[in-house]
């Protein structure tokens, strides 16, 4: 609920509100969630509106504009769990991108990524060594995540399989 309180305070005041390693601020029509990496998530024209919860209670709720699957602008609602999920997935994406850049610099031939899984192509006799390098790359902490414990694992396969 703390993340929701921080976002609501930002909407009400228009000022930056820090919450742990993230923050909320306003820039033009957007409330931005600032991530540890320096990247931002954007919520367009946020408001706090009274919305009826599924159990019938009327609650002050954060709403924002987004496009639906037909590219029409609609007002969405959010809640503490969704804000937390947005932050978690965005930070995870930034960590994955960091590891992928390191792997590229070390000469690994990454072909695809599926959510949290990377797939590279290597000669069979180099697979063990290259897997070790990839794990090192994924576990190297970016400067913006020095205190974050990172871990990864991998496996070798002749065909792609989701772990």
């Amino acid at each position: 609920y703390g993340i929701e309180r921080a976002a609501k305070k930002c909407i009400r005041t228009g000022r930056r509100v820090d919450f742990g390693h993230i923050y909320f601020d306003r820039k033009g029509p957007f409330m931005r969630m600032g991530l540890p990496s320096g990247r931002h998530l954007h919520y367009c024209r946020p408001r706090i509106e009274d919305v009826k919860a599924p159990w019938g209670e009327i609650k002050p709720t954060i709403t924002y504009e987004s496009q639906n699957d037909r590219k029409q602008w609609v007002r969405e609602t959010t809640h503490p769990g969704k804000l937390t999920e947005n932050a978690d997935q965005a930070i995870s994406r930034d960590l994955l991108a960091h590891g992928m850049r390191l792997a590229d610099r070390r000469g690994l031939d990454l072909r695809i990524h599926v959510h949290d899984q990377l797939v590279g192509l290597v000669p069979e006799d180099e697979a063990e060594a290259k897997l070790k390098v990839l794990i090192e790359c994924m576990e190297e902490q970016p400067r913006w995540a020095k205190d974050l414990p990172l871990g990864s694992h991998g496996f070798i396969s002749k065909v792609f399989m989701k772990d």
Side-chain angles (χ1 to χ4, degrees):
Y1 294 99
I3 196 169
E4 181 186 51
R5 282 191 298 275
K8 283 181 175 178
K9 185 173 182 180
C10 176
I11 293 168
R12 283 193 304 274
T13 67
R15 297 177 195 255
R16 178 179 164 141
V17 179
D18 293 321
F19 181 73
H21 294 286
I22 64 169
Y23 65 86
F24 293 93
D25 68 7
R26 292 296 298 261
K27 186 164 188 167
F30 297 99
M31 175 178 69
R32 303 185 311 168
M33 178 190 291
L35 303 169
S37 66
R39 199 165 63 89
H40 295 90
L41 300 183
H42 293 78
Y43 299 87
C44 187
R45 290 184 268 288
R47 295 194 302 235
I48 301 171
E49 299 180 307
D50 287 336
V51 174
K52 188 175 185 177
W55 54 90
E57 178 185 1
I58 303 293
K59 293 184 60 165
T61 302
I62 297 172
T63 67
Y64 60 95
E65 292 180 15
S66 70
Q67 288 186 328
N68 66 14
D69 58 350
R70 293 182 294 209
K71 303 293 184 196
Q72 298 169 321
W73 285 95
V74 295
R75 190 148 282 277
E76 300 259 346
T77 62
T78 192
H79 54 82
K82 187 173 170 186
L83 291 170
T84 302
E85 179 182 26
N86 291 165
D88 178 67
Q89 289 183 351
I91 293 167
S92 296
R93 176 261 175 221
D94 291 346
L95 289 166
L96 182 68
H98 173 76
M100 290 173 70
R101 282 191 298 273
L102 292 176
D104 184 61
R105 284 187 207 132
R106 299 224 11 219
L108 298 180
D109 183 9
L110 298 180
R111 296 295 175 109
I112 64 172
H113 69 87
V114 181
H115 303 293
D116 61 347
Q117 191 169 345
L118 299 174
V119 179
L121 185 63
V122 298
E124 197 169 342
D125 63 329
E126 297 176 21
E128 290 288 340
K130 298 287 185 172
L131 176 59
K132 185 174 188 261
V133 170
L134 180 58
I135 290 171
E136 288 170 3
C137 291
M138 293 308 301
E139 293 181 353
E140 184 174 314
Q141 292 175 297
R143 67 181 174 279
W144 51 265
K146 286 294 182 207
D147 297 331
L148 189 65
L150 299 179
S152 65
H153 71 278
F155 64 93
I156 298 166
S157 176
K158 291 185 180 199
V159 297
F160 171 73
M161 298 182 303
K162 185 70 179 133
D163 186 20

